[in-house]
């Protein structure tokens, strides 16, 4: 990429930043204008991220030197297949959640649109950055916006769970800082690629400090990813958050996964000497414990919101253990699974609100119109009369069933393919071993299957209770704006299924470049500065 | 037609039909039937077209790429066996559609029914012609799912819901097992392709993973075919509409299990494990199914148990590992489908005409519906294994196989006896079916007068019964060649010689048949009286219902265990979560440490400065006291926290970082003030009541938490010490920054150059955080209503007000105005001074301590002073404050400055700096970074002031709520 198109790499950060800033200039009463700006920015991100994915898939690692400072010294943004993949996922899920929110949720509190844009900025920045401290900064942007969004809609339940969420994540941020400081103190660099180079030359004593730093840093990411037993905040916060917020949060827990995947393969790859595969055993054990805990939670859930939240944990655990196995085939499967499960849970969070609206019409109105109990200076809520088309319940039912299939990993949709790809890779021993299957692989297989079964049983129970045997049939009022995003997300999983071949090829290419990070390192450290006009480029 | 297209069409057509069917109007019974029937017929014709090619080449294949890297392609492969099943599935599909047209009530929402039925047909066809084992599993699971939807079609019945759920749970578990089993096969063979797998029999049987793979695959097949001990879902699935029972639960879906066992028979069979597991399940199902069938009162229940039994027979035949057994098994699959489907349809007609399926209430129907009765009788005779009907032929083959010795074991020795016994039971229940329903006294208490069904409703039964007869009398001429094609495709060169003749002479199997017939009749005569009086279910073990056990297990698992484990392993409270986090971080940090590698730099006392130590000791004291007082005295804790911050501040100054010191100082001041403002609205601490006795548990918890806190805090301290005393890495970015700050960054203040240039992107992010936090605080507090116990006016204020009221010449608020007079004036006058100071700090930032951040905080402090001096109302009446806009503009300015570099072809945030000679001011550094810094200033001021306003407005709100509360009280009084 050359010329102006090179700046496209930074667009996923700058566009939401500018949009968010612009939104602040307009008064809360100009909801339509705000919604338009928000939508325009989010949809533009879809286009940009797809374009970036194309670029990432064809060319080598693209590097953007901020301030034109050379690589280990300034901050870099790095676009490779993995970051492009996460950008695409983010933009799609965000678009769906936003359209959904525009039906009514965006009016349930102040500054929804601004916070939403900053959340996207934080997410995109975290996926793009190649600098450890800059990662911290974008984590904070993302978290700060998520603090606002988790409280969006207010109400005692939300505030209580939201404040817990803030407290835990602030504590995790401290750990993040401690970890980064230690790593910087030992290696003298914050650039991830540079870190990967320097780690091999560390003295034994320094190596311990670095590993301590990495361990503390890892705990911070594990909190974010929701590894048991650090995951208790997650079901509580996710299940009470407003539906579109919860849908985007499904992605938030994947940020922790993303960073662990990136750093463990980049920094603690085979070149890291005695630090190679640092912490991978812990990831496997912790991941499996998380699957088990999430699975139990899924079965025990008495409300759909908690079921979906525990599904997030199951998905996290599956991915953590897969990262711990550090095998290219497993990583490829895990990436497919990541995309599929994130979309699934996102769609499910949106769907749940629509379904539960039918069960108790008073509940959500209470949340949304809490506004009405406020002061006189707050705008009155406009009654949003949805288009109640006759087949509402049927469509909701079909969507719910599809979500169930996806969660349980039953065919024919992408949930199955993700699980199949993971299992096929796990049960295929890496070259060089004696061909047997490790006990960890057996356990993982069993947990993956059992967690699918747990999801199946639980979704069956809720589905039958809701659609087949309702105590009183209340057809929920659902506007087109709310159901279309859900349907589109589910169609996306269908697309992932049908286009499984190309998608899987992309994932495998991603995995193989992650497992041989030399290209990434060379790309970052060798990125040329822009020379002053007239002078020739190096 | 091309084989490729043909196979794909066979799979795709039903699904297309399904989608179409779903779009019809609710009462479009006829058009639905035309559509579905047409699709089924089309598939049948397609299969017929394929037959010559299959006979000629053995199999036709179609392969389209899907997930080639994972070895999963959309491979379809139709050989003789798959062809046979395709014909069964599409042919029966056609007949069932025809039947369902008349069976379903005009008021039923049939689009759903036919859509599911067609989708099921597609899944089943896909399953039988899958050429890839994983693809087979996919279609396999789809059949389970559509079976679930069809069983639950009348979901207003509790029975239908429970039956559907159980069926899906059991077959779903089996399907997941099958998936893993197939993956293991793929692991052994290196491919999921059916042809490759079928060619790798020896390799599979000799592999270490053979047993796990076998067990998992059998878990799938035995659950699907409702074999003991997973048989119990099938009788419960009878809550489905009868066409579904006839189609899925007798003719096709339940055959999927035995189909797959036959499919993989060349690969998996012939080992002791296969023989024992499959043989045991088959024999148990054969016997248990037949025995239970006798004691059912529900017509469909009887047929369901009979299905279990007949599938058991097929399973047992497959377990033997002899080619002849496999031939018999395949033959019986066809025969069973034929007579059982017709019986189900007959049962449906009876149910339809009389309104009941309870055999105790039925009787003498022959006089009302002689044709249906005759057809049912012939079909029952086939089920019982009466000669000249198709059931007899395969049963004879079964008997012949049962006598043979295959593996010396109890199972094999008992086989002939079990076979005869089960056969006798089959005669008994068949006889009962016919006798109680069609003969005897007229039924009483029926809702309507039964009569013959419409011709086309009866037609499928007629056709099938005719098939039973024809196959039973001239098997070699009718089914023979097709069966042979199927058998060859399974057994290949091992195909044995077999004869389909009706008469083999006086043989042992014939004797066994005769014994079974007589014994069955005698048993029926003996039991007849008892059966009409008893409850449903076999004697003695009637209460022992697998279904009950299953439901009990589910409840215990999901309700009791899962919930208690969840409660034990999880928590919703914050404290334990934070404790876990600290402990986790501590342990994680401990793990990499190996003692021999760690070297603490020894501390040299001479290097320690006493004053510096004193600062730190007091700082530490402040921090510890703040933690100690946090619960008991918030104000004190806050002030102490300020003390700790101050010592940090001095440290920065001590180590020649004036910039940091300045920033830290201002941040300390502003945050402390904001926190103090917020303190007012926190709820009161709950006072402890009663004597202060601390329980042992509490004491332990406190000691433990104290220990954790000391360990974690100490750990961080040690880490910091080690990190700071260990030698600095040779090449760090820091040295580079020092070098380049002025040369390339254009500033002498390195800290500032780092903030706005080297790492300006971080700064942009951090100020965004500040902006977002301010918005969040605002959004949260906008809704916040002070807690009831903090609304009350503080004592101090109350006393002042009382004093003001008591004195005649004073107004309320005078006292506070009096004693704040001097400070207030100073504070108001300080406003312009501080603004100028802030501007100064801002401008000199690039070269000397200062910068946008510090200037912003300083400016915010000016606003805070105004609010404090004169109160919220007074300030807001005089100053138009738009903090949100300031933030927005600041961010835009910063971002645009960064983008400015694009115009010159440089990346975002590339700076340009120059000194400009200004009149009176002199040489002024003018870097683009200055504009960026201005944006930062806007954001910092805006954010701080926004938080201030959010807090300040609480007081006006608090007063209002207090007023509302008093008014309410007065009204009540």
């Amino acid at each position: 990429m050359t010329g102006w198109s090179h700046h496209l790499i930074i667009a996923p950060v700058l566009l939401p930043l500018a949009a968010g800033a612009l939104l602040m200039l307009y008064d809360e009463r100009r909801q339509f204008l705000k919604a338009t700006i928000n939508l325009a920015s989010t949809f533009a991100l879809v286009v940009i991220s797809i374009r970036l994915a194309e670029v990432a898939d064809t060319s080598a690692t693209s590097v953007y030197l901020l301030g034109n400072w050379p690589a280990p010294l300034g901050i870099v943004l790095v676009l490779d297949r993995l970051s492009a993949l996460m950008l695409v996922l983010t933009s799609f899920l965000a678009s769906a959640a936003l359209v959904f929110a525009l039906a009514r949720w965006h009016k349930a509190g102040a500054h929804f649109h601004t916070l939403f844009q900053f959340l996207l900025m934080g997410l995109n920045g975290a996926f793009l950055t190649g600098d450890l401290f800059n990662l911290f900064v974008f984590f904070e942007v993302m978290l700060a916006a998520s603090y606002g969004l988790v409280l969006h809609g207010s109400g005692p339940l939300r505030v209580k769970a939201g404040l817990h969420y803030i407290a835990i994540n602030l504590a995790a941020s401290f750990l993040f800082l401690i970890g980064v400081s230690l790593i910087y103190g030992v290696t003298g660099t914050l650039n991830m690629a540079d870190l990967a180079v320097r780690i091999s030359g560390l003295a034994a004593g320094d190596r311990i400090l670095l590993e301590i730093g990495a361990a503390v840093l890892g705990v911070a990411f594990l909190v974010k990813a929701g590894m048991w037993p650090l995951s208790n905040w997650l079901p509580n916060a996710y299940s009470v958050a407003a539906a579109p917020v919860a849908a985007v949060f499904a992605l938030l827990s994947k940020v922790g996964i993303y960073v662990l995947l990136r750093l463990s393969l980049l920094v603690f790859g085979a070149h890291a000497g005695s630090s190679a595969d640092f912490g991978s055993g812990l990831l496997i054990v912790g991941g499996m414990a998380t699957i088990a805990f999430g699975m139990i939670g899924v079965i025990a859930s008495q409300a759909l919101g908690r079921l979906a939240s525990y599904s997030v944990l199951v998905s996290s655990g599956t991915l953590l253990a897969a990262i711990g196995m550090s095998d290219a085939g497993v990583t490829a499967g895990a990436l497919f699974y990541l995309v599929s499960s994130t979309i699934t849970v996102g769609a499910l969070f949106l769907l749940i609100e629509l379904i539960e609206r039918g069960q108790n019409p008073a509940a959500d109105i209470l949340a949304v119109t809490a506004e009405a109990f406020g002061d006189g200076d707050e705008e009155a809520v406009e009654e949003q009369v949805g288009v109640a088309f006759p087949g509402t319940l049927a469509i909701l039912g079909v969507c719910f069933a599809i979500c169930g299939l996806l969660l349980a990993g039953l065919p024919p949709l992408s949930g199955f393919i993700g699980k199949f790809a993971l299992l096929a890779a796990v049960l295929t021993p890496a070259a060089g071993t004696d061909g047997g299957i490790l006990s960890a692989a057996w356990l993982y297989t069993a947990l993956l299957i059992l967690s699918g079964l747990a999801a199946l049983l639980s979704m069956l129970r809720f589905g039958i209770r809701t659609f087949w045997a309702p105590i009183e049939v209340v057809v929920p009022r659902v506007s087109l704006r709310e159901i279309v995003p859900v349907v589109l997300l589910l169609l996306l999983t269908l697309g992932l299924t049908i286009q499984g071949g190309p998608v899987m090829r992309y994932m495998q290419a991603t995995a193989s470049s992650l497992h041989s990070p030399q290209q990434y390192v060379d790309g970052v450290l060798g990125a040329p500065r822009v020379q002053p006009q007239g002078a020739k480029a190096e | 037609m091309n084989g490729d297209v043909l196979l794909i069409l066979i799979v795709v057509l039903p699904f297309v039909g399904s989608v179409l069917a779903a779009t019809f109007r609710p009462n479009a019974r006829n058009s639905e039937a035309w559509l579905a029937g047409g699709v089924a017929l089309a598939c049948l014709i397609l299969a017929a077209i394929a037959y010559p090619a299959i006979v000629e080449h053995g199999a036709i294949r179609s392969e389209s790429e899907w997930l080639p890297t994972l070895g999963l392609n959309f491979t379809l492969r139709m050989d003789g066996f798959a062809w046979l099943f395709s014909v069964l599935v599409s042919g029966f599909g056609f007949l069932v559609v025809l039947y369902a047209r008349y069976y379903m009530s005009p008021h039923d929402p049939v689009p759903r029914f036919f859509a599911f039925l067609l989708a099921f047909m597609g899944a089943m066809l896909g399953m039988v012609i899958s050429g890839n084992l994983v693809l087979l599993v996919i279609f396999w699971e789809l059949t389970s799912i559509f079976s679930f939807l069809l069983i639950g079609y009348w979901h207003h019945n509790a029975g239908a819901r429970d039956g559907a759920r159980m069926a899906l749970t059991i077959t779903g578990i089996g399907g997941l097992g099958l998936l893993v089993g197939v993956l293991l096969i793929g692991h052994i063979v290196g491919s999921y392709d059916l042809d490759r797998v079928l060619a790798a029999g020896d390799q599979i049987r000799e592999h270490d993973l053979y047993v796990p793979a076998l067990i998992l695959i059998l878990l799938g097949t035995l659950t699907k075919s409702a074999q003991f001990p997973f048989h119990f879902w099938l009788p419960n699935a009878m809550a489905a509409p009868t066409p579904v029972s006839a189609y899925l639960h007798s003719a096709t879906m339940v055959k999927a299990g035995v189909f797959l066992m036959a499919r993989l028979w060349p690969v998996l069979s012939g080992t002791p494990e296969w023989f024992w597991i499959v043989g045991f399940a088959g024999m148990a199902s054969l016997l248990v199914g037949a025995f239970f069938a006798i004691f059912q009162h529900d017509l469909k229940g009887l047929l369901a148990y009979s299905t279990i039994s007949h599938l058991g027979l097929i399973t047992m035949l497959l377990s033997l590992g002899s080619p002849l057994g496999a031939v018999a098994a395949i033959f019986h699959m066809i025969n069973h489908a034929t007579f059982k489907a017709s019986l189900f349809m007959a049962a449906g007609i009876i149910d339809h005409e009389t309104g009941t399926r309870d055999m105790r209430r039925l009787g003498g129907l022959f006089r009302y519906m002689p044709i249906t009765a005759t057809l049912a009788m012939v079909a029952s005779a086939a089920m019982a294994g009466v000669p000249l009907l198709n059931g007899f032929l395969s049963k004879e083959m079964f008997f012949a196989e049962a006598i043979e010795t295959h593996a010396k074991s109890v199972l094999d020795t008992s086989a002939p006896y079990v076979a005869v016994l089960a056969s006798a039971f089959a005669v008994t229940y068949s006889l009962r079916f016919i006798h109680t329903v069609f003969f005897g006294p007229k039924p009483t208490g029926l809702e309507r007068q039964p009569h013959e069904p419409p011709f086309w409703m009866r037609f499928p039964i007629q056709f099938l019964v005719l098939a039973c007869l024809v196959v039973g009398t001239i098997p070699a001429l009718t089914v023979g060649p097709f069966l042979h094609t199927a058998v060859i495709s399974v057994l290949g060169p091992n195909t044995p010689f077999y004869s389909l003749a009706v008469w083999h002479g006086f043989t042992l199997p014939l004797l066994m048949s005769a014994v079974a017939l007589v014994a069955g009749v005698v048993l029926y005569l003996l039991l007849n009286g008892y059966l009409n009086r008893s409850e449903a279910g076999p004697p003695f073990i009637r209460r022992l219902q697998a279904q009950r056990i299953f439901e009990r297990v589910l409840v215990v698992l999901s309700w009791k265990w899962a919930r208690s484990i969840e409660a034990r392993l999880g928590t919703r409270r914050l404290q334990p979560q934070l404790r876990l986090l600290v402990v986790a971080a501590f342990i994680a940090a401990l793990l990499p440490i190996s003692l021999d590698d760690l070297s603490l730099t020894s501390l040299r006392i001479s290097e320690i400065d006493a004053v510096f130590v004193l600062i730190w000791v007091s700082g530490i004291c402040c921090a510890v006291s703040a933690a100690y007082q946090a619960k008991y005295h918030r104000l004190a804790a806050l002030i102490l926290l300020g003390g700790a911050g101050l010592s940090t501040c001095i440290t920065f100054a001590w180590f020649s970082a004036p910039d940091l010191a300045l920033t830290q100082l201002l941040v300390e001041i502003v945050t402390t003030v904001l926190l103090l403002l917020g303190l007012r609205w926190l709820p009161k601490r709950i006072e402890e009541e009663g004597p202060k006795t601390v329980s042992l548990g509490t004491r332990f918890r406190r000691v433990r938490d104290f220990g954790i806190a000391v360990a974690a805090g100490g750990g961080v301290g040690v880490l910091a010490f080690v990190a700071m005393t260990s030698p600095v890495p040779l090449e760090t970015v820091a040295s580079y920054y020092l070098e380049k700050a002025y040369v390339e960054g254009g500033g002498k203040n390195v800290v500032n150059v780092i903030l706005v240039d080297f790492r300006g992107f971080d700064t942009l992010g951090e100020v965004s955080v500040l902006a977002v936090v301010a918005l969040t605080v605002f959004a949260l507090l906008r809704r916040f209503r002070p807690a009831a116990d903090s609304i009350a006016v503080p004592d101090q204020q109350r006393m002042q007000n009382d004093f003001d009221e008591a004195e005649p010449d004073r107004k309320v608020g005078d006292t506070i105005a009096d004693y704040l007079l001097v400070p207030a004036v100073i504070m108001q006058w300080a406003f312009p001074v501080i603004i100028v100071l802030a501007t100064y700090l801002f401008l000199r930032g690039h070269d000397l301590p200062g910068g946008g951040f510090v200037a912003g905080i300083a400016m915010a402090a000016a606003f805070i002073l105004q609010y404090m001096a004169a109160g919220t109302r007074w300030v807001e009446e005089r100053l138009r404050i738009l903090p949100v806009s300031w933030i927005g503009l600041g961010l835009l300015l910063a971002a645009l400055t960064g983008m400015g570099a694009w115009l010159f072809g440089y990346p975002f945030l590339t700076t340009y700096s120059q000194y400009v000679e200004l009149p009176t001011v002199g040489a002024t550094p003018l870097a683009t970074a200055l504009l960026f810094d201005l944006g930062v200033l806007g954001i910092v001021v805006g954010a701080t002031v926004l938080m201030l306003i959010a807090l300040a407005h609480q007081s006006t709100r608090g007063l209002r709520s207090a007023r509302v509360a008093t008014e309410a009280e007065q009204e009540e009084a």
Side-chain angles (χ1 to χ4, degrees), chain B residues 62 177 183 280 297 337 371 543 616 710 758:
Chain B
S62 143
L183 288 173
F280 174 74
H297 292 317
I371 305 177
R543 300 269 161 258
W616 265 79
V710 168
F758 290 123

Side-chain angles (χ1 to χ4, degrees), chain B residues 269-353:
Chain B
S269 73
T271 61
E273 292 88 357
W274 169 273
F275 174 72
W276 274 100
I277 302 172
V278 180
F280 174 74
M283 192 184 278
S285 311
L286 172 68
L287 206 55
V288 169
F291 182 64
F292 278 41
I294 299 174
F295 298 94
Q296 299 302 312
H297 292 317
D298 180 7
L299 278 180
K300 283 173 78 178
L302 184 151
L303 293 177
Y305 277 106
S306 149
T307 304
I308 295 173
S309 169
H310 279 275
L311 290 169
L313 190 156
I314 300 172
T315 308
M316 209 173 139
L317 278 170
L318 289 170
S319 77
L320 301 174
S322 82
L324 267 177
V327 174
I330 295 171
F331 191 30
H332 198 64
M333 287 180 206
I334 315 173
N335 293 336
H336 174 254
T338 322
F339 62 70
K340 193 51 71 58
S342 59
L343 280 172
F344 263 112
M345 290 188 201
I349 289 176
I350 292 162
D351 186 11
H352 210 249
E353 295 298 328

Side-chain angles (χ1 to χ4, degrees), chain B residues 338-384:
Chain B
T338 322
F339 62 70
K340 193 51 71 58
S342 59
L343 280 172
F344 263 112
M345 290 188 201
I349 289 176
I350 292 162
D351 186 11
H352 210 249
E353 295 298 328
T354 61
T356 180
R357 299 195 313 244
D358 191 333
M359 281 188 273
R360 285 168 304 181
R361 292 183 59 200
L362 291 167
L365 288 182
F366 190 83
R367 67 200 83 193
Y368 299 116
M369 37 174 83
I371 305 177
T372 308
T374 312
L375 293 172
M377 276 187 269
V378 177
S380 300
M383 174 161 79

Side-chain angles (χ1 to χ4, degrees), chain A residues 296 300, chain B residues 556-570:
Chain A
I296 288 165
Chain B
V556 169
L557 272 182
S558 68
W559 189 256
K560 287 170 94 178
W561 289 4
R563 269 157 53 100
S564 71
I565 295 175
E566 186 210 6
R568 215 166 287 241
L569 294 182

Side-chain angles (χ1 to χ4, degrees), chain B residues 1 49-50 65 142 203 231 260 311 509-510 515 589 630 725 838 884 933:
Chain B
M1 194 185 295
I49 295 172
E65 269 203 355
L142 280 181
Q203 191 189 347
H231 61 282
L260 187 59
L311 290 169
L510 188 68
V515 170
T725 51
V884 182
D933 225 9

Side-chain angles (χ1 to χ4, degrees), chain B residues 766-852:
Chain B
E766 285 296 358
V767 289
S768 305
V769 174
L770 192 61
V772 175
V773 167
L775 289 184
T776 301
V777 168
F778 177 75
L780 176 65
L781 290 185
R782 197 173 72 129
R783 289 277 185 68
F784 176 77
R785 299 291 166 272
D789 56 352
S790 56
I791 291 174
V793 178
D795 284 345
Q796 197 187 2
Q797 212 175 335
R798 195 171 43 75
M799 279 188 285
Q800 288 167 357
N801 291 349
D802 286 350
F803 174 73
D804 288 341
E805 276 170 17
E807 301 284 316
D809 55 338
R810 295 179 77 90
K811 293 203 299 290
V812 171
D814 275 359
T815 306
I816 190 158
D818 283 354
Y819 81 72
L820 267 180
L821 184 62
V822 176
V825 169
I826 295 174
M827 286 195 260
Q828 281 172 16
W829 277 97
F831 188 68
V833 178
I834 297 176
I835 300 288
V836 171
L837 174 74
T839 317
Y840 171 68
L841 283 174
F842 171 73
L843 282 177
R844 70 181 216 146
H846 216 49
D847 286 341
L848 293 163

